[in-house]
Amino acid sequence: MSMNIPAENPFNYNLPVSPDMFYGRQPDCDKLCQGLTANKGDSYALIGGRRMGKTSLLEAIHRNLALGSERFPVFPLPLMLDLTGKGIHSDGEFFRCVLEDVKTSLSECLGMQVDIPELGIGQPPAPFLTRQLPQWDRWVMNRHGRRLRFILLLDECEQVACQDWAADLYGALRSLLVGSATRSNLKVVMVGSHGFL
């Protein structure tokens, strides 16, 4: 006697979808990737209700940028940071987390171990990165023949919005995103629920 066992549902509402199950949002993903890597480039905020697929879209953007770097006019280095449970308590700690990923990503993209200075406790992040980004840009230009573009993919931004240091973080990010020495090397996608809005 054979029994019909129903197929297991491949979706889990608590988790982002796997790449093979990402469906229907590829045009959105492609448009965002093109905007993030255009010569001038844009930054974005993705805001929506819970369980709408924001993290899945963010992960798809990360995959597309990481796997398809040859098709973009700049050399994208996507850095994904989930702000849930990171234990970040200051804008300095946020940027130190980012710099850990920067070191790993730069080492991989350049094919060698790179040393980058540490952001000191109490050291303002925006001036520090304003000094560092042009050097990293030169390294990538020499190796790959294209300008460097770090793309910060920040998930669960509402975790930061309520912190007393949020204004310092946003101020530093704004300074880097509009500063003439850094704006071509950094773009951001901030993702959050309606609470972040």
Side-chain angles (χ1 to χ4, degrees):
M1 173 156 103
S2 67
M3 298 179 71
N4 285 340
I5 299 173
E8 184 177 332
N9 184 344
F11 297 102
N12 181 325
Y13 71 92
N14 285 318
L15 300 172
V17 297
S18 61
D20 60 318
M21 299 299 291
F22 185 75
Y23 181 78
R25 294 251 178 108
Q26 195 59 48
D28 296 330
C29 181
D30 292 341
K31 185 174 182 178
L32 289 166
C33 288
Q34 291 302 320
L36 289 163
T37 59
N39 283 326
K40 290 188 178 180
D42 287 314
S43 291
Y44 299 93
L46 304 177
I47 298 168
R50 302 197 59 74
R51 310 289 168 236
M52 293 186 70
K54 298 181 302 293
T55 301
S56 295
L57 180 58
L58 201 63
E59 288 185 356
I61 291 168
H62 185 273
R63 282 191 304 274
N64 282 12
L65 293 171
L67 297 175
S69 64
E70 296 304 317
R71 63 188 172 113
F72 300 116
V74 295
F75 193 94
L77 278 181
L79 307 172
M80 187 146 173
L81 186 61
D82 182 347
L83 298 174
T84 302
K86 276 291 190 187
I88 296 172
H89 302 290
S90 70
D91 58 324
E93 284 183 21
F94 170 87
F95 282 105
R96 280 189 283 282
C97 284
V98 169
L99 286 169
E100 288 176 24
D101 289 347
V102 165
K103 184 174 182 176
T104 301
S105 294
L106 272 178
S107 295
E108 288 173 6
C109 117
L110 297 172
M112 63 182 200
Q113 187 66 34
V114 297
D115 289 319
I116 60 173
E118 290 186 17
L119 177 65
I121 304 289
Q123 185 177 8
F128 172 84
L129 286 166
T130 299
R131 289 189 301 274
Q132 295 302 313
L133 276 165
Q135 179 181 5
W136 300 337
D137 185 43
R138 284 191 299 276
W139 293 350
V140 171
M141 179 63 89
N142 290 338
R143 174 86 164 124
H144 294 285
R146 285 180 290 157
R147 301 287 313 266
L148 169 66
R149 172 85 41 89
F150 281 113
I151 300 173
L152 294 181
L153 305 169
L154 306 177
D155 200 11
E156 303 289 345
C157 288
E158 63 272 9
Q159 302 296 319
V160 170
C162 61
Q163 304 298 326
D164 58 357
W165 48 269
D168 295 332
L169 173 61
Y170 296 150
L173 283 174
R174 178 170 168 65
S175 175
L176 293 166
L177 290 170
V178 301
S180 60
T182 53
R183 65 179 164 226
S184 66
N185 297 121
L186 179 68
K187 301 299 170 197
V188 178
V189 179
M190 300 181 89
V191 175
S193 68
H194 291 106
F196 173 55
L197 179 62

